[in-house]
Amino acid sequence: MASTKVVIVLGMSRSGTSLLTRGINVLGVELGDHLLPSTTANPKGYWENADIFDINERLLELIGCTWHSVALTGEIDFSSHCFDPVKGAARAVIASLASRYPFWGFKDPRACRLLPFWQGLLNDLDADIHYVVCLRSPTDVALSLERRNRFGTRKSLLLWLVHMYCIAKYINNDQSIIIQYEVLMNSAHEQINRIASFLDIDVSDKQEAIREYCSCFLDADLHHHCSDWNKLQAMSDFRQIITCYDHLVSLASRDRVKREDWMELSSRLNGIELIWSFFHEVSEWEIRNLRAAPLTQCGFLAEQHHLLSNGPDTSQGPEESLILFVDYPEKTHPAPVFRKLAVSGWALSLSGVAQVQVLQPDGRLVHLDYGLPRKDVQELHPGYPCADSSGFSGCLNLSGLGPGAYELGVRVTSRSGEVKESPIPFVKIGPSAPVSDA
C-alpha cells in the first residue's frame, strides 16, 4: 500500500489551476504552509507551494528555458549529477510534506514540462499519484496572457499546445481527471463532487466549506475572458490546436482518464516535437508573424526523423565503429543559455566507449557522465556492446562567458582510440560572471 497519496494539478498558466487547487484544498488535500502570496494578477491566491515553485524555476534554468519558452526541451536525463543539488532540495520538500500529511498535493504549470522529475522522486516514495488537469479554452488563455504578459496571440496558443502535449506525453497511469475551467465556474458544486469521487474523499463533513468555496471563493467577476471558439475554428492554420482541444473536451466528460487515452492524444500530436526542434527560442516578433500551418501538415510517424533534425539516421548500412548522438541541445538551432547548459545524448562503439567529453569555448575539457540507461538505443542498435547503458549527460557552467554566439564540441573516444566530435552551437544571454565549480 502506498505510504502517501499525492495530487498533482496540471494545466497551462491562466487556465484556472489556482482556483481549482483551492477547491482540492477545501476537500482536505494539504498544500503545505509556505505558499506564494496573492498578487493583483491573482487576487484569490496562487495556492502554490513556494518551495516547489523555486525548485521548478531552478530546473528550468538548468535546462536552459523559461516557463514561457515556446520550444520543447526534448528528453531530459534527470539522473545527471548536474541536477543533484536541486534533487536534494526537492526530496527534502517531499519528505516534509509526506511526513506531515497522508494526503497532499501541489500545483505549478511548470510541472507540465518537468513531470518526469517529480514522478521519479515520488515513485521512490511509492506514492499513489493522482493527476487533476485543468482545461481552459486556448483562446481565453491567450487573451488572459495578452492582458497580463503582453504575449502575442500566436505565442500563447503555441504555449498552450506545448503544455497539453507534455501532459499527454508524461501522465503515466490511469489516475487522472480533466476539469474544464468554464464548467467549474458554472457548475462548481457538481465539479467539486466529481473530484471528491475521483480522489475517494468523503465530503460528508465538508459541506459547509464546499458551499463557501462555490458561492464565495469562486467569483464570476474574475472570469474576464469568454472568447468565441468559432472564430478559432475558422482559422485553418490552428487546426492542430483545435483538434487537441476538442479531444480534451471529450475526455473531460469521463470520470477517469486512462493512460491509453493520453497515449492516443500524444500519438495524434507526434509530429509536434519534430516541428518544435526548429525554433528553440523564437523572438516575439517572429512568433507574431508565425503561421502555424506546418503543424497541420506534419504527416510524420513517431519513429521518423526530419532530415534537418537531430534524429538518428536508421537507414544507414553497415554498423559504424563509433556513433555519437547528442539529444540536447539541438544542433539545428542554437540553444539560449543564461548560466548553465545541460548536455545529454548517447554514444556507441564496437570496441567500447572510453569517455565522453565537452570542449568548451574557453578550451576546457569537461567530462560527462557515461553509462546511463538507454533501452531505446539498444532497440535501435542491438549489435553494439552496452547499448542499453550508452547514455551520457552533464551540466556545463557557462556563466563566465559574455553574451554572444558560441560553439562547443561533444567528443567521444572509443577504447581503441577512435575519436568523433559533434559541434553544438549556443547563444549566451545575460552578463558574464566569475566561473565557479559550485
Side-chain angles (χ1 to χ4, degrees), residues 355-376:
Q355 61 183 358
V356 180
Q357 302 166 296
V358 173
L359 178 61
Q360 297 191 158
D362 58 7
R364 292 196 301 163
L365 271 175
V366 178
H367 287 266
L368 302 181
D369 293 329
Y370 181 76
L372 305 177
R374 289 301 297 256
K375 297 295 185 183
D376 57 327

Side-chain angles (χ1 to χ4, degrees), residues 133-329:
V133 178
C134 193
L135 176 66
R136 188 181 187 185
S137 162
T139 50
D140 287 351
V141 169
L143 289 170
S144 184
L145 286 172
E146 180 181 20
R147 173 177 175 172
R148 189 188 71 172
N149 300 93
R150 300 293 186 264
F151 287 170
T153 299
R154 293 181 184 276
K155 172 170 182 171
S156 297
L157 291 174
L158 292 172
L159 278 173
W160 181 91
L161 188 58
V162 165
H163 283 69
M164 296 306 108
Y165 173 71
C166 290
I167 290 171
K169 182 177 180 180
Y170 294 137
I171 287 182
N172 56 5
N173 64 24
D174 293 336
Q175 300 185 138
S176 62
I177 189 173
I178 299 175
I179 303 297
Q180 287 182 263
Y181 171 76
E182 297 83 2
V183 179
L184 176 66
M185 295 300 294
N186 294 323
S187 307
H189 204 282
E190 176 187 344
Q191 294 304 303
I192 289 298
N193 283 331
R194 278 188 69 211
I195 298 170
S197 176
F198 166 69
L199 297 176
D200 194 24
I201 294 175
D202 182 6
V203 297
S204 57
D205 60 340
K206 301 177 177 66
Q207 292 302 313
E208 183 59 35
I210 292 174
R211 277 193 293 270
E212 183 179 352
Y213 169 79
C214 295
S215 60
C216 300
F217 184 84
L218 291 183
D219 189 348
D221 291 338
L222 294 176
H223 192 187
H224 299 294
H225 306 291
C226 187
S227 59
D228 186 354
W229 179 243
N230 293 326
K231 289 183 179 179
L232 183 68
Q233 289 181 311
M235 301 170 68
S236 60
D237 54 337
F238 288 116
R239 184 60 52 191
Q240 194 86 344
I241 295 173
I242 296 167
T243 300
C244 179
Y245 180 67
D246 286 343
H247 188 78
L248 287 168
V249 169
S250 69
L251 294 178
S253 63
R254 302 184 184 182
D255 293 334
R256 187 180 300 264
V257 182
K258 296 184 177 181
R259 171 59 185 149
E260 62 188 36
D261 300 318
W262 293 114
M263 290 177 65
E264 179 185 353
L265 176 58
S266 179
S267 67
R268 292 189 181 195
L269 303 174
N270 60 32
I272 288 179
E273 196 149 355
L274 303 179
I275 297 297
W276 248 267
S277 68
F278 299 118
F279 50 96
H280 254 276
E281 276 298 318
V282 185
S283 68
E284 180 67 22
W285 181 87
E286 290 176 292
I287 293 173
R288 286 178 182 272
N289 292 277
L290 178 68
R291 297 290 290 179
L295 297 177
T296 69
Q297 299 168 359
C298 49
F300 304 111
L301 296 175
E303 61 271 23
Q304 289 180 317
H305 295 272
H306 195 281
L307 293 176
L308 297 179
S309 78
N310 258 11
D313 180 8
T314 57
S315 64
Q316 58 192 7
E319 291 181 334
E320 299 179 56
S321 60
L322 182 61
I323 300 177
L324 169 63
F325 176 66
V326 180
D327 285 319
Y328 185 82

Side-chain angles (χ1 to χ4, degrees), residues 9 16-26 31 46-47 107:
V9 179
T17 54
S18 299
L19 297 178
L20 178 60
T21 303
R22 173 53 179 160
I24 293 172
N25 177 235
V26 166
L31 306 175
Y46 289 89
W47 301 96
K107 156 258 172 182

